[in-house]
Amino acid sequence: MTDVRIDETRTSERAPRIGESAPRPDGIPKVDGSFTFSSDLWHDRMLWGGTLRSPHPSARIRSIDIGPAVAVTGVHAVLTAADVPGNPAYGLEHADQPVLAADVVRYEGEPVAIVAADHPEAVRLALEAIVVDYESTVPLVDPGAAESSDPIHPDGNLIRRIHLRHGDQDVVGEVVVEGTYEVGMQDQAFLGPESGLAVPAEDGGVDLFIATQWLHVDRDQVAACLGLAPELVRLTLAGVGGAFGAREDLSLHAHLCLLALHTRRPVKMVYSREESFHGHVHRHPARMWYRHHADRAGNLLRVEARLLLDGGAYASSSGAVIANATCFAAGPYRIPSADIEGVVVRTNNPPCGAMRGFGAVQTCIGHEAQMDRLAAALDMDPVELRMRNVLASGDRLLTGQVITGTAPVAEVLRTCADHPSAAALSEDPMSLPGGAGRTADPEHVHRGEAIALGFKNLLFSEGFDDFSSALCRLEDGIATITCACAEVGQGFVTLAQQITREVLGVDDVVLTPASTATVGSAGSTSASRQTWMSGGAVQAACEEVRTTLLTRVAAEHGVDPDELVMADGRVMSLAGALDIDLASVTTEPVEADVEFHHAPTSPLDEYGQGDAHVSFAFSAHRAIVDVDRDLGLVKVVELTTSQDVGRVLNPLQAVGQLEGGAAQGVGLAVMEEVQVLDGRIRNASFTDYLVPTALDMPPVEIAALIEEPEPGAPFGAKGIGEPPSISSTAAVVAAIRAATDLELAHVPVRPTDIALAGA
Amino acid sequence: MEAMSVTFARTVDDACAALAEHPGALLLAGGTDLMVGVNRGQVRFADVVVLDRVDELRGWRREGDEIVLGAGLTYAEMGRGELPALVPALAQASRTVGSPQIRNAGTLGGNVATSSPAGDTLPVLAALDATIDLRSAQGARRLAIGEFVTGVKQNALEPGELIEAVRVPVLDGPQEFLKVGTRNAMVISVVSLALVVDRSGRNVRVGLGSVSPVPLRPADAEAHIAGCIDWDTGSAPDAAAVHRFAALVAGAARPIDDHRGTAAYRSHAVGVLARRALLRAFPGGAS
Ligand SMILES: Cc1cc2nc3c(=O)[nH]c(=O)nc-3n(C[C@H](O)[C@H](O)[C@H](O)COP(=O)(O)OP(=O)(O)OC[C@H]3O[C@@H](n4cnc5c(N)ncnc54)[C@H](O)[C@@H]3O)c2cc1C
């Protein structure tokens, strides 16, 4: 046993059911400071851990001398690659990333050694005392040169190439438009940096308390690196301060466990903000070329595209990201012919991987710019051009897959476009471009408006069986749910309770801490999948408990189980003869343990064809921006959105997802870029990696939440987390184009791109 | 490890005595610069003298045509009460700094002592020809702001010395502070400009931020525009005069390329700010 406590989530008032707003139990504690984040974990006997990182984007390690560090007072362990007992490397798709670099470093900030000491100051001194003899080598920083350069990794510089070809390849349109676009590297910029606490256990294993997105896959990777059986590595979710994809890969997990097992003491580690920028993957920077073909009436005939993503030094989830970028490259439109090549390569830049929107964000910027270009070439209204081509249920994607679920794309676009705008030009200088800097007067402001449409897949694709598991136990009228779903802010803790109440008619629901020790995998909290997958698992577990209980009660009372219902903490017969307190029939617990799987998918073939995806979600954003062209400063004045949601389960949280996702989209449009020069991050701090403030983020107007229940999804609800980040950026950038008449190929749009465009 | 000493000074004399007793001690005011350095491991120290309990440093007073601003004045304090009417550009600059939390903690003295090219009060102080009152156990001295700031994060502060106050004139004429950042609030300046009009002195004075190692005064631009204004009527300069003023300001800038902006953008933007500030100060002029 350990002294570390992770609280369960509990509610008992007459609490919200499906479709009602359920406030988050962690909401107020997060605002008033009482929430326990992973960085707040504490153990009386704990040591502090720290990481020595490579100062070079590319170097050979000639030698490492840990002697001077070991000699520092208070130091308990200094470990290098030689101390990793199991797999020397890990990775989500390929185990290509060293736990600790052995003889080469491939990106700036790559971990080289780790230290445990009795005080953070001793950790700092020890890290400074480690002597690493590097032979710096020329870094490969141009993704365009990666394939023709010497391999920087035994696995080669090409991570994945998909060459999708669909339909008649000889089609040429009457109207053809071409464009090149570039997207910078975005950071997830979660507020709670990487942190965790590892506690060595009596049985030779280790307990790791950690903020993460997928406990079980972390466990499997960590156990492999430690050379331990997976059961000996137990992960429990600690308070997560945001994730957005940045916690899908391992960061300090294996390091903490190595130090704890080595010292036989609990070890805690917390990254600094700067370290965090080096310690997790980012959104892939993209270079994209597009050519769209249409007839004079505006029917899309063919899309050609070349997509190049920079994966950075290690593969992470790059293979799945490029699959998404390729499959969704042309947007939610009906297009009979396509030639899309998606390539993701390895470089000595910071590793890139999962981030909200996962490949579809970059391409939405490309395809929507193309749609606007095409509308201009056809002299057609951009909304009408899109309306003419939108996908609908029954249509075929570029992968050849027919959409069998819902696809209310026309409704999404129409409701967003038709929503009235409230945006007047403000007289308040704070509300003009430049904001608090007082740079603009109203006469310097040019307004632009534009709309963008986007989509992506829900759940994992290409044959992946990302199931979820849940346990339900009903005892003394109280339901207890156990599921390893990582709550990273998406709202599973409220949803799991709402679903349980809905199915079992109870108010008292306890959600136990998410852990690998108590239940099977829930899959990742990513791909907008947890409401569907873990929500589905909870629903199925509760339904099984209900069936078992009602069958038993029916037998005891000699009635038909179909006659019985559970509501308001009672079991009742529809006819009204039977009305029993639930607690009295559950003194002996009723339990269910289920695994929930989605419909199977298949891999993409060599032409990028196949039924690779489960389901799709669509969104539209309309942006109104004010631009100070002389200074290149932008104020996003209004953002209106419609989204295909299947069904709203918790209105309050749905709005939260739409607002938060759009804020990240606004950030990418106008300010968020990890600037990498010669393989080095120049702005690894919140002083210089800017995210939107209240003066940068306009209110989000929700024009419509389109509720067409999705077959196969619990209660018909689609995942809603990612679409808000997809079409928002494209809409804002398009609105800036409209305000400036500039092409603006680079996203985020920088002040100089506007102010010095003519220079 | 040696013991660390922390002195909570109550008077300026206390603080000077503590500095004399602990050479190398660091002064801590709002901590909004210092603690960032400490957290990053860039600033290490054994002794600290804490200034925020020194009442003498916390207020401001008028002495004839001068305002004496205590080094401990916070940005929030410089933005309220009568100060904004007396030294408008300083209040405007204060509002552009950081977030409410930073403005409640960060001080004028800390901004001056940090002497960053991006320090937002510095262009204002340069334009106002401010003087800096320094004190140590040995005595007091007064330096012009241009003498005080000597380079990027470098200044004339001697060991054992602290900033007691900043003196600025009360001028007859409009004042403007404008700051460009890549975000609409809470952002380090990419370029900034303060413009103050002194009707009785018949001049327009300009301070530029983030375009050179020290806050810059574009002397040619100032001389040019002073000559283009009819000081008796206060009429606005004509379009050509405004244009030339902006060009001279832009030409005076000595910016660098960095991750916050390019030199070319900074030179361009500072010219735009010059033009806008001038037209706000002399409305009705050429636009
Ligand atoms: C989030 C954030 C945003 C910020 N935004 C801005 C911004 O927009 N614009 C801007 O200009 N700055 C900004 N800053 C920097 C900082 O807030 C200012 O420079 C502030 O004025 C520093 O004052 P302080 O009282 O906090 O100084 P401290 O941090 O306490 O001290 C800073 C330095 O000054 C010295 N010092 C302090 N007082 C005295 C004195 N009386 N005599 C001699 N030396 C002294 C200290 O020893 C130290 O070297 C920001 C900082 C943060 C953390």
Side-chain angles (χ1 to χ4, degrees):
Chain A
M1 265 313 288
T2 72
D3 308 342
V4 181
R5 254 196 63 203
I6 303 285
D7 288 336
E8 55 197 23
T9 307
R10 211 176 244 281
T11 44
S12 59
E13 324 77 79
R14 149 73 212 190
R17 302 314 203 243
I18 288 299
E20 299 169 9
S21 280
R24 303 174 56 102
D26 52 336
I28 288 173
K30 277 179 179 161
V31 174
D32 73 14
S34 58
F35 184 81
T36 307
F37 288 100
S38 53
S39 51
D40 299 320
L41 293 168
W42 192 267
H43 193 296
D44 288 341
R45 292 186 60 247
M46 77 185 187
L47 300 171
W48 293 87
T51 311
L52 182 72
R53 295 176 181 278
S54 165
H56 305 288
S58 169
R60 270 183 284 278
I61 298 176
R62 289 206 200 90
S63 64
I64 304 179
D65 181 5
I66 62 166
V70 175
V72 172
T73 314
V75 168
H76 288 246
V78 181
L79 307 180
T80 64
D83 300 299
V84 179
N87 274 4
Y90 66 90
L92 283 171
E93 293 174 358
H94 309 278
D96 69 343
Q97 181 157 5
V99 177
L100 291 166
D103 30 63
V104 269
V105 286
R106 297 189 181 86
Y107 71 97
E108 182 202 26
E110 180 162 359
V112 173
I114 47 177
V115 166
D118 56 15
H119 191 277
E121 194 59 12
V123 172
R124 187 185 66 79
L125 292 172
L127 291 174
E128 279 177 14
I130 299 171
V131 183
V132 186
D133 183 9
Y134 292 103
E135 180 190 338
S136 171
T137 46
V138 179
L140 167 60
V141 295
D142 174 9
E147 285 196 78
S148 58
S149 299
D150 289 341
I152 59 167
H153 188 283
D155 292 357
N157 294 348
L158 175 67
I159 298 176
R160 189 174 183 191
R161 163 178 274 109
I162 303 172
H163 195 168
L164 180 155
R165 275 145 299 170
H166 180 73
D168 176 359
Q169 292 299 300
D170 298 322
V171 173
V172 178
E174 292 167 319
V175 180
V176 178
V177 293
E178 221 176 291
T180 305
Y181 310 94
E182 203 179 270
V183 182
M185 183 187 288
Q186 187 178 20
D187 188 64
Q188 297 83 350
F190 50 49
L191 292 184
E194 290 81 355
S195 46
L197 174 66
V199 185
E202 303 277 307
D203 59 3
V206 60
D207 289 280
L208 177 63
F209 300 85
I210 187 99
T212 184
Q213 294 180 232
W214 189 355
L215 289 163
H216 284 77
V217 97
D218 286 358
R219 177 202 59 188
D220 293 347
Q221 293 178 84
V222 171
C225 297
L226 298 175
L228 289 176
E231 316 79 74
L232 289 177
V233 180
R234 291 161 295 256
L235 270 69
T236 301
L237 188 71
V240 181
F244 313 112
R247 295 189 211 272
E248 216 173 31
D249 296 74
L250 297 189
S251 55
L252 39 64
H253 311 49
H255 300 160
L256 276 170
C257 294
L258 284 167
L259 290 170
L261 289 169
H262 195 89
T263 59
R264 307 301 309 156
R265 293 270 294 267
V267 180
K268 170 175 173 168
M269 216 191 273
V270 182
Y271 284 179
S272 69
R273 176 58 56 191
E274 182 179 349
E275 190 174 18
S276 177
F277 273 97
H278 297 289
H280 62 247
V281 298
H282 310 279
R283 191 191 294 292
H284 291 77
R287 295 180 189 171
M288 306 179 289
W289 168 87
Y290 276 90
R291 186 189 285 149
H292 276 55
H293 301 252
D295 65 18
R296 291 228 176 279
N299 297 303
L300 284 172
L301 301 177
R302 174 169 165 84
V303 172
E304 299 165 83
R306 297 289 172 267
L307 314 171
L308 176 62
L309 303 192
D310 184 352
Y314 296 106
S316 179
S317 51
S318 282
V321 172
I322 194 65
N324 270 8
T326 309
C327 291
F328 310 118
Y333 305 108
R334 228 178 319 105
I335 306 164
S337 158
D339 177 332
I340 317 273
E341 187 186 50
V343 177
V344 60
V345 294
R346 193 189 302 276
T347 65
N348 291 117
N349 291 321
C352 290
M355 182 172 174
R356 196 175 199 172
F358 207 77
V361 168
Q362 293 92 326
T363 50
C364 185
I365 291 166
H367 64 67
E368 288 306 273
Q370 284 291 101
M371 292 303 280
D372 289 340
R373 246 177 228 257
L374 187 59
L378 289 161
D379 196 17
M380 207 171 163
D381 176 67
V383 174
E384 288 321 308
L385 173 66
R386 287 172 170 84
M387 280 307 284
R388 178 176 276 273
N389 291 285
V390 286
L391 283 171
S393 189
D395 283 340
R396 227 170 248 290
L397 301 171
L398 302 185
T399 53
Q401 179 169 0
V402 173
I403 303 181
T404 53
T406 60
V409 195
E411 292 85 334
V412 164
L413 178 59
R414 185 47 80 200
T415 51
C416 184
D418 289 350
H419 195 71
S421 163
L425 183 59
S426 175
E427 290 294 313
D428 176 7
M430 283 281 184
S431 304
L432 297 175
R438 308 178 67 257
T439 47
D441 299 307
E443 70 263 27
H444 303 128
V445 172
H446 298 264
R447 179 156 285 190
E449 177 179 332
I451 202 158
L453 193 56
F455 83 135
K456 90 174 277 291
N457 53 336
L458 305 174
L459 325 183
F460 283 19
S461 296
E462 296 188 84
F464 207 97
D465 181 17
D466 50 317
F467 65 89
S468 179
S469 323
L471 310 176
C472 172
R473 177 187 170 96
L474 186 59
E475 184 175 14
D476 297 329
I478 298 172
T480 300
I481 300 295
T482 301
C483 180
C485 170
E487 171 64 59
V488 304
Q490 82 276 23
F492 180 73
V493 292
T494 46
L495 272 175
Q497 293 179 322
Q498 287 173 276
I499 292 170
T500 307
R501 290 183 205 117
E502 186 79 19
V503 178
L504 296 178
V506 293
D507 281 328
D508 291 359
V509 181
V510 176
L511 191 62
T512 65
S515 166
T516 60
T518 49
V519 61
S521 176
S524 177
T525 299
S526 63
S528 301
R529 62 177 288 288
Q530 286 296 21
T531 295
W532 185 323
M533 295 307 299
S534 289
V538 169
Q539 182 188 22
C542 291
E543 283 172 351
E544 193 178 315
V545 163
R546 183 177 63 190
T547 304
T548 308
L549 177 69
L550 295 185
T551 307
R552 196 173 78 194
V553 173
E556 280 164 13
H557 292 85
V559 295
D560 181 350
D562 292 342
E563 286 289 295
L564 297 179
V565 292
M566 297 175 72
D568 301 327
R570 311 192 70 77
V571 178
M572 295 173 280
S573 66
L574 290 171
L578 209 65
D579 183 356
I580 320 168
D581 179 30
L582 183 62
S584 70
V585 287
T586 52
T587 48
E588 190 186 314
V590 188
E591 288 176 297
D593 177 353
V594 305
E595 238 178 46
F596 182 80
H597 298 258
H598 60 68
T601 60
S602 30
L604 294 168
D605 69 14
E606 63 172 308
Y607 293 96
Q609 302 293 292
D611 292 346
H613 308 291
V614 182
S615 172
F616 311 91
F618 307 86
S619 65
H621 283 87
R622 183 187 65 200
I624 298 180
V625 305
D626 284 345
V627 181
D628 176 347
R629 288 191 213 161
D630 296 331
L631 292 175
L633 301 181
V634 176
K635 166 84 181 180
V636 183
V637 181
E638 189 180 87
L639 207 50
T640 303
T641 184
S642 287
Q643 189 168 323
D644 155 39
V645 298
R647 179 166 173 206
V648 179
L649 301 184
N650 182 342
L652 188 64
Q653 269 175 194
V655 170
Q657 288 293 317
L658 267 59
E659 290 178 343
Q664 279 181 311
V666 167
L668 178 59
V670 295
M671 63 182 83
E672 289 191 42
E673 180 168 8
V674 178
Q675 298 179 38
V676 182
L677 185 70
D678 299 330
R680 294 173 203 276
I681 300 182
R682 304 170 86 194
N683 57 339
S685 73
F686 278 171
T687 308
D688 287 311
Y689 183 87
L690 301 178
V691 297
T693 68
L695 273 186
D696 301 283
M697 182 60 197
V700 175
E701 276 285 311
I702 298 180
L705 298 172
I706 309 293
E707 297 193 77
E708 278 187 23
E710 175 74 343
F715 307 100
K718 286 186 175 181
I720 61 166
E722 289 173 288
S725 302
I726 296 175
S727 42
S728 49
T729 305
V732 172
V733 173
I736 301 173
R737 289 191 188 107
T740 57
D741 286 327
L742 296 171
E743 296 203 357
L744 302 177
H746 182 91
V747 173
V749 178
R750 300 157 295 201
T752 154
D753 298 337
I754 299 171
L756 298 186
Chain B
M1 252 182 246
E2 278 179 46
M4 164 174 166
S5 80
V6 179
T7 307
F8 293 95
R10 296 282 169 183
T11 64
V12 172
D13 285 340
D14 273 2
C16 290
L19 281 178
E21 190 183 335
H22 303 284
L26 276 187
L27 291 167
L28 173 67
T32 60
D33 269 327
L34 193 70
M35 294 313 294
V36 174
V38 171
N39 287 338
R40 285 192 163 180
Q42 291 160 344
V43 177
R44 318 217 65 89
F45 51 85
D47 302 302
V48 183
V49 179
V50 184
L51 295 180
D52 69 350
R53 291 162 178 76
V54 181
D55 287 340
E56 295 161 75
L57 297 179
R58 303 232 37 175
W60 61 275
R61 62 181 189 277
R62 186 164 183 159
E63 283 183 6
D65 282 345
E66 241 178 15
I67 303 291
V68 184
L69 302 156
L73 271 179
T74 64
Y75 295 107
E77 287 162 350
M78 289 188 281
R80 62 178 176 240
E82 291 164 55
L83 267 184
L86 293 167
V87 202
L90 193 61
Q92 293 164 4
S94 297
R95 177 58 186 84
T96 74
V97 171
S99 58
Q101 295 91 326
I102 297 299
R103 293 196 290 276
N104 283 335
T107 65
L108 177 62
N111 202 238
V112 173
T114 296
S115 302
S116 159
D120 283 324
T121 66
L122 299 180
V124 180
L125 301 185
L128 289 171
D129 282 326
T131 54
I132 313 295
D133 285 353
L134 303 174
R135 271 277 291 281
S136 70
Q138 275 72 49
R141 58 181 183 136
R142 182 168 298 168
L143 292 181
I145 181 76
E147 298 166 322
F148 181 81
V149 183
T150 55
V152 175
K153 299 203 173 179
Q154 286 177 346
N155 58 46
L157 208 61
E158 297 283 344
E161 213 169 26
L162 59 77
I163 300 171
E164 184 176 17
V166 175
R167 289 172 180 266
V168 295
V170 178
L171 298 181
D172 171 23
Q175 302 186 357
E176 283 290 334
F177 177 81
L178 293 78
K179 162 176 160 183
V180 172
T182 319
R183 178 160 74 180
N184 286 310
M186 199 159 104
V187 65
I188 306 264
S189 102
V190 173
V191 31
S192 67
L193 176 143
L195 180 147
V196 303
V197 178
D198 179 2
R199 287 195 190 109
S200 44
R202 301 199 157 199
N203 58 41
V204 174
R205 282 134 59 182
V206 179
L208 309 180
S210 296
V211 292
S212 63
V214 299
L216 204 100
R217 286 281 296 272
D220 293 348
E222 291 182 6
H224 154 74
I225 203 66
C228 296
I229 292 161
D230 180 341
W231 291 100
D232 296 322
T233 62
S235 72
D238 68 17
V242 173
H243 187 80
R244 177 148 175 74
F245 173 70
L248 286 170
V249 168
R254 293 282 167 268
I256 55 163
D257 281 328
D258 68 12
H259 54 284
R260 292 180 191 143
T262 61
Y265 175 78
R266 287 185 160 108
S267 290
H268 164 82
V270 81
V272 174
L273 296 189
R275 172 192 178 79
R276 291 184 181 177
L278 189 69
L279 291 173
R280 282 185 198 166
F282 296 94
S287 52

